[in-house]
Amino acid sequence: MSKYCFGVDVGGTTVKLGLFSTEGDLLEKWEIPTVTEDGGKAILPDIARSIQKMMDEREMARDEVVGVGIGAPGPIDSEGTVYGAVNLGWGTFSIKKELQTLLNVPVEAGNDANVAALGEMWQGGARGYENVVMVTLGTGVGGGIIVGSRILPGATGAGGEIGHMHVNDKEEIACNCGNHGCLEQYVSATGVVRLAKEKLAESDRPSALRDTEVTAKDVWDAAKKADPLAMEVAEDFGWILGKALASVACVVNPEVFVIGGGVSKAGDILIDYIQKNYQKYAFTGCRGALFTLAKLGNDAGIYGAARMVLK
Amino acid sequence: MSKYCFGVDVGGTTVKLGLFSTEGDLLEKWEIPTVTEDGGKAILPDIARSIQKMMDEREMARDEVVGVGIGAPGPIDSEGTVYGAVNLGWGTFSIKKELQTLLNVPVEAGNDANVAALGEMWQGGARGYENVVMVTLGTGVGGGIIVGSRILPGATGAGGEIGHMHVNDKEEIACNCGNHGCLEQYVSATGVVRLAKEKLAESDRPSALRDTEVTAKDVWDAAKKADPLAMEVAEDFGWILGKALASVACVVNPEVFVIGGGVSKAGDILIDYIQKNYQKYAFTGCRGALFTLAKLGNDAGIYGAARMVLK
């Protein structure tokens, strides 16, 4: 008898769902809208209905379904309890218990960044490894820590929040979290643009980045073409992130770092700048860590969610 | 039938051994010398003989012994393989397999700092918690990370090596590890003395620390008596360590930090200086972490080693 599992990735506007074989093949994926009205109380029933429909269509028996994993944007502990998810309207409750009651199959829940890390470990850039740190470079900086093939959620679901490591004592602008000098303020897409703008303002050196509405992509494109100013921005980016990841390695000593998120589309150049700085600051025993790019893109969440229900 | 476990803590000059009930009572403890000659090849046979002797004396059957846990100073992975332990003369081999063969009972092995953290979780300062970061402030700075009641050894046994987090870009003196600007260079016993000497050299302000051979204990004693210069040293110590632990929390989000090692004998004043700085830099979701002092002193290693063999 074949066995299946479902992976669910709840976002602020759409819920992504995936049906997987327990071997890790994505058999089908689809989306439903996220209804955030009324404290997001329709979200889990909508998900349950959608999964039930898929099971009916495929004439799947309940005991063919190993379980349903679900990732959501908020702090979620190892028991599957979410402590508020602002973008979904959710307060504090057990996602695991509620969805289990609706579907009558085992459910596991985790923070979306952590779950994406697990997805990359299962079928993505970190396939074949068990101890993984994923860094998601998007509008903000997310992170996920995998230890012995399992998510490290932390005591209050804040495990892997490496975007909020303090890296600069002199910062005067506040991070979205309220602190000053968080990693995210420099190496997110927004952060890279800011580093570039500061560098442009320091002098009137010529650069492909001058007199344009600079994006993070522009910076990496220019750096690839050896634009000196863009290369300096890339160097600053790599120095700040490589140094921070060396500190992360002193804590969890991973086999591999996976770099994902929109900024990671820049490709291998990113790894080069991060890794050479990492090597400089890493503790001897951690220097062998590998660096790879994420491979699953927006599907990392459904992969990781599905993987959560496998032992 | 009562069940027992043994905890072994291998140091450079003596091996500490403890016999425990599986409930966590230390029934007997003793020491044997560490024979480091010939690549330390006598160490495990000596330990096995000593445990066997204790079992004979107490007429213990083999099936009454749940197992033997062993902590040693070196990187040790989750399979019980040590990757060199300079102080013991050891190269790379499986401690777990070798001691298991000698004793014919289950064996687990771990790095001594990690094992001490597990001991403090079991019966010490972090009793009742499952997610713990221990910081050992001695001649150097060690650390141990406990996640879900288990040691986080890391890919190459370097998990919890927080003494080698990079915290200062301007450092010119090398750390023992070869890097520059490691946490250990400022908040170990040696580090605190160095901070004090630098502060003394900056001016000729009066202080109880002037014209003496300053020790870390002197600094804390003077700070307790409100010596202004010593209080500034304490503030610098707390700022550097509190900030670093805020970064550690962004990675593993513990319930509690346990402060141990010789420097921790200074007591609650240490916690005060660390915690107020931690609060300032910690990510919102991690601010609730508690700070406690270690309670087991030199016995933490045997407690933690024994705890390793319990599920």
Side-chain angles (χ1 to χ4, degrees), chain A residues 147 151-154, chain B residues 130-132 145-152 252:
Chain A
V147 174
I151 288 171
L152 191 164
Chain B
E130 296 185 347
N131 299 294
V132 178
I145 316 282
I146 306 298
V147 174
S149 304
R150 304 184 80 86
I151 288 172
L152 191 164
V252 291

Side-chain angles (χ1 to χ4, degrees), chain A residues 135-199:
Chain A
V135 186
T136 305
L137 305 170
T139 316
V141 172
I145 316 280
I146 306 297
V147 174
S149 303
R150 304 184 80 87
I151 288 171
L152 191 164
T156 56
E161 282 288 357
I162 62 178
H164 299 286
M165 289 172 75
H166 177 82
V167 297
N168 182 3
D169 294 332
K170 291 176 184 151
E171 184 57 72
E172 290 178 358
I173 298 167
C175 177
N176 287 330
C177 78
N179 285 351
H180 292 74
C182 292
L183 180 62
E184 164 167 312
Q185 293 185 272
Y186 313 98
V187 303
S188 62
T190 334
V192 170
V193 169
R194 181 183 161 195
L195 290 178
K197 284 184 177 166
E198 284 173 2
K199 190 76 75 184

Side-chain angles (χ1 to χ4, degrees), chain B residues 11-22:
Chain B
T13 50
T14 58
V15 178
K16 294 188 187 69
L17 299 103
L19 169 65
F20 293 83
S21 71
T22 51

Side-chain angles (χ1 to χ4, degrees), chain B residues 231-310:
Chain B
M231 287 170 76
E232 282 179 32
V233 175
E235 189 62 47
D236 288 353
F237 164 92
W239 180 65
I240 296 167
L241 184 52
K243 199 165 57 158
L245 295 184
S247 279
V248 171
C250 284
V251 186
V252 291
N253 178 209
E255 297 164 278
V256 57
F257 287 96
V258 182
I259 314 295
V263 175
S264 74
K265 288 182 187 153
D268 289 331
I269 186 174
L270 210 73
I271 303 278
D272 297 340
Y273 279 102
I274 299 168
Q275 195 166 14
K276 74 174 177 188
N277 283 287
Y278 172 82
Q279 291 290 342
K280 187 174 165 192
Y281 292 103
F283 179 58
T284 332
C286 303
R287 266 178 222 153
L290 305 174
F291 284 77
T292 66
L293 293 169
K295 283 191 182 158
L296 301 176
N298 292 330
D299 289 345
I302 52 172
Y303 272 94
R307 177 64 179 75
M308 285 184 90
V309 298
L310 305 177

Side-chain angles (χ1 to χ4, degrees), chain A residues 155-156 158 160-161 243 250-251 253 285, chain B residues 155-156 158 160-161 169 250-251 253 285:
Chain A
T156 56
E161 282 288 357
K243 199 165 55 158
C250 283
V251 186
N253 178 209
Chain B
T156 56
E161 282 288 358
D169 293 334
C250 284
V251 186
N253 178 209

Side-chain angles (χ1 to χ4, degrees), chain A:
Chain A
M1 190 175 73
S2 302
K3 291 276 192 179
Y4 304 95
C5 50
F6 289 90
V8 183
D9 182 13
V10 187
T13 49
T14 58
V15 178
K16 295 189 186 69
L17 298 103
L19 170 65
F20 293 82
S21 71
T22 51
E23 287 76 39
D25 296 313
L26 176 56
L27 305 173
E28 195 161 341
K29 67 171 173 172
W30 69 102
E31 292 185 3
I32 61 174
T34 309
V35 179
T36 56
E37 283 78 19
D38 275 341
K41 70 180 181 188
I43 298 175
L44 292 185
D46 286 351
I47 290 169
R49 210 172 301 116
S50 185
I51 288 175
Q52 186 60 59
K53 194 173 150 218
M54 179 60 63
M55 286 170 65
D56 293 345
E57 279 172 21
R58 292 191 167 238
E59 298 178 355
M60 244 180 244
R62 205 151 296 272
D63 62 359
E64 286 178 282
V65 179
V66 175
V68 175
I70 176 166
I76 298 174
D77 70 14
S78 59
E79 305 295 315
T81 297
V82 58
Y83 297 93
V86 184
N87 295 341
L88 308 179
W90 283 355
T92 297
F93 69 97
S94 172
I95 298 176
K96 179 180 164 124
K97 281 189 193 157
E98 196 163 320
L99 194 56
Q100 232 160 229
T101 305
L102 289 165
L103 276 168
N104 198 25
V105 296
V107 170
E108 297 293 339
N111 166 270
D112 54 0
N114 294 347
V115 167
L118 190 65
E120 289 290 340
M121 180 208 81
W122 193 29
Q123 297 290 3
R127 193 171 168 174
Y129 297 97
E130 295 184 348
N131 299 293
V132 178
V133 172
M134 180 163 175
V135 186
T136 305
L137 305 170
T139 316
V141 172
I145 316 280
I146 306 297
V147 174
S149 303
R150 304 184 80 87
I151 288 171
L152 191 164
T156 56
E161 282 288 357
I162 62 178
H164 299 286
M165 289 172 75
H166 177 82
V167 297
N168 182 3
D169 294 332
K170 291 176 184 151
E171 184 57 72
E172 290 178 358
I173 298 167
C175 177
N176 287 330
C177 78
N179 285 351
H180 292 74
C182 292
L183 180 62
E184 164 167 312
Q185 293 185 272
Y186 313 98
V187 303
S188 62
T190 334
V192 170
V193 169
R194 181 183 161 195
L195 290 178
K197 284 184 177 166
E198 284 173 2
K199 190 76 75 184
L200 285 163
E202 275 171 17
S203 73
D204 53 6
R205 280 190 293 161
S207 165
L209 302 176
R210 209 167 278 287
D211 306 320
T212 60
E213 188 59 50
V214 182
T215 65
K217 183 175 183 304
D218 295 337
V219 173
W220 292 106
D221 286 346
K224 283 176 196 168
K225 289 177 187 154
D227 181 280
L229 191 141
M231 288 170 76
E232 282 179 32
V233 175
E235 189 62 46
D236 288 352
F237 163 92
W239 180 65
I240 295 168
L241 185 51
K243 199 165 55 158
L245 295 184
S247 279
V248 172
C250 283
V251 186
V252 292
N253 178 209
E255 296 163 278
V256 56
F257 287 96
V258 181
I259 314 295
V263 176
S264 74
K265 288 181 186 151
D268 289 331
I269 186 174
L270 210 72
I271 303 278
D272 297 340
Y273 279 102
I274 300 168
Q275 195 166 14
K276 74 174 176 186
N277 283 287
Y278 172 82
Q279 291 290 342
K280 187 175 164 193
Y281 292 102
F283 178 58
T284 332
C286 303
R287 266 178 221 152
L290 306 174
F291 284 77
T292 67
L293 293 168
K295 282 190 182 158
L296 301 176
N298 292 331
D299 289 344
I302 52 172
Y303 273 93
R307 177 63 178 75
M308 285 183 90
V309 298
L310 305 176
K311 294 305 154 205

Side-chain angles (χ1 to χ4, degrees), chain B residues 106-124:
Chain B
V107 171
E108 297 292 338
N111 167 270
D112 54 1
N114 294 347
V115 167
L118 190 64
E120 289 290 341
M121 180 207 81
W122 193 28
Q123 297 290 3

